[in-house]
Amino acid sequence: MEKEKVARINELAHLSKERTLTDAEKAEQAALRAEYIAEIRASFGGMLENTVIERPDGTREKLPKK
């Protein structure tokens, strides 16, 4: 996610603590948060795909998908 979008998420969070957000700002905040969470999940999924378990006997196996 671009730094500008993350900065906008933070800006909206700070604004929501100072005052109530307009409907347009709430919609923008929800869309940006959804995009951010989707990227985090994709990143974490990629990390898990490259994770292996090493057993005490030295064998290695990939994590199974659930």
Side-chain angles (χ1 to χ4, degrees):
M1 176 171 261
E2 296 105 31
K3 290 181 181 181
E4 295 85 21
K5 288 185 179 182
V6 174
R8 182 64 180 158
I9 291 171
N10 291 331
E11 181 183 343
L12 289 169
H14 290 295
L15 282 176
S16 70
K17 291 180 182 179
E18 295 173 5
R19 62 174 172 83
T20 57
L21 297 177
T22 65
D23 290 338
E25 289 172 332
K26 286 180 185 178
E28 179 186 8
Q29 184 181 39
L32 287 171
R33 284 181 174 174
E35 183 180 343
Y36 181 75
I37 289 172
E39 287 190 24
I40 294 293
R41 286 183 176 156
S43 174
F44 189 70
M47 192 183 322
L48 287 177
E49 286 179 6
N50 294 320
T51 302
V52 294
I53 299 173
E54 187 169 346
R55 303 287 180 195
D57 63 359
T59 59
R60 298 175 70 165
E61 64 182 71
K62 286 190 157 215
L63 288 176
K65 282 195 171 188
K66 289 188 176 186

